[in-house]
Amino acid sequence: MELFKLGIKEAQEGLAKGEFSSSDLVKSIIERYHAKNDEIGAYLTFDEEDALRLAAENPKAVPIAIKDLINVVGQPCTCASKILKGYISPYDATVIKNLKASGFIPCGRVNMDEFAMGSSTENSGLGKTRNPYDLTRVPGGSSGGSAAAVGGNMCIAALGTDTGGSIRQPASFCNCVGIKPSYGRVSRFGVTAFASSLDQVGPMTKSVEDSAILLKALAGHDEMDGTTPRIDVPDYAKEIEGASMKGLKIGLPKEYFIDGLDPEVKRITDEAIKKCASAGAEIVEVSLPHTEYAMAVYYIIAPAEASANLARFDGVRYGHRSAASKDVFTLYTKSRAEGFGPEVKRRIIMGTYVLSSGYYDAYYGRAQRVRTLIKRDFDEVFTKVDALLTPCAPTPAFKLGELQDPLTMYLNDLFTIPSALAGVCASSVPAGFTAAGLPVGVQFICGGFEESKLLSVSKAFEDIVK
Ligand code: GLN
């Protein structure tokens, strides 16, 4: 039996019935890793001994692949950056502790864009990842390793992170379900920070039910992260039982249905809308009037926060230290110049610029005010509809090397960035395939801490497209 093909639900059922053990699951994934990783490159590193040890100690646990910016004790945590090559985590992130407490074990480190900056995983400083549906194409990013591992059946499920779309866009490219939880739903303690007011860890899975199970394990208040409120975590898998489109009001924000959308993405999204309507949902057009400013706001706020967060990588405390340094100043500058890749440097320069005195009010202060307007658009729209349905990414997976210009790359997140700025929750759910066989997902968006509703709509949709 090819156990690596299983999802979480099926794996848990098989483990409960004693059909196989956690060690059998891990062994099957290791076999698959040896067969496929040269081709797909989903994993950066895979500590087989550690995974087998954890499985032997927890014979009923389900292995989960971990994006390489989440700390797991004793494992590398490179954020796919040369600056963190050789760094070993001294502790578990809260999400890892939570996983272990709920019958999961971490298993393998998956690739990503360096420090989660990018939309194709091509910004990884440590390896190349290919789309399992077409090896000449990217898996999306920044959680491209997670998506390729799930879509290529190289794991049971994976953790990704989403700052402006990094769970949803790669999920769409690789035929996975991806959930970006509401800001604060999941602890960020032990997750290397990119943009702290946006980052969230979330599940990337083979089904919506698996995402519900995994999110329940991840979510909740954490004393180590002051942005996680004391809001109960529902049993999401129970909440989605019997999910249906009947009686749901689904909004189509007109700002998201623009010219220039790839024709196949448009066709698949239009069909998705029709399917929701015939399954009993009421479809209404709505407006999120400040959408057009979201990209500009994000590319001020995210780099600003990144420039502050990445100041800690200075050659002194973590990872790479330049051998060419002569004094403390060159120790900082040379270690950073040698360690960071071009996109990370670009973000640090942009971020430092918008935060510098004289420009702070003109850029950062103003971006924060517009962010509030974007958030209010969502508050307002969710008084009228249960969920929004939009395309997830403007195109299907593109070719490796196809997007050379950073600005064109940034456009990939056009549809995922506004909800990230608003802090609400959103999913990407497989919706169909292009004529060339590339997967395309659609995005559902619900209000803050409305994950039960989000997962229910997503499940109802999954049921009708299957
Ligand atoms: N692609 C976006 C960026 O490069 C979003 C990344 C993310 O969500 N981590 O910033």
Side-chain angles (χ1 to χ4, degrees), residues 111-122:
N111 200 11
M112 54 186 282
D113 285 297
E114 185 176 5
F115 286 104
M117 298 170 187
S119 302
S120 67
T121 311
E122 290 166 297

Side-chain angles (χ1 to χ4, degrees), residues 218-232:
L218 297 172
H221 171 70
D222 177 17
E223 281 189 359
M224 303 302 280
D225 178 352
T227 62
T228 55
R230 291 177 193 277
I231 296 178
D232 283 347

Side-chain angles (χ1 to χ4, degrees), residues 141-198:
S142 67
S143 307
S146 312
V150 175
N153 278 320
M154 297 181 70
C155 67
I156 308 292
L159 295 191
T161 60
D162 193 305
T163 302
S166 278
I167 287 178
R168 292 163 282 167
Q169 183 258 20
S172 172
F173 282 15
C174 294
N175 203 31
C176 326
V177 175
I179 306 287
K180 184 207 89 76
S182 312
Y183 184 73
R185 181 72 292 192
V186 176
S187 166
R188 288 173 295 111
F189 178 73
V191 182
T192 315
F194 162 13
S196 311
S197 75
L198 294 154

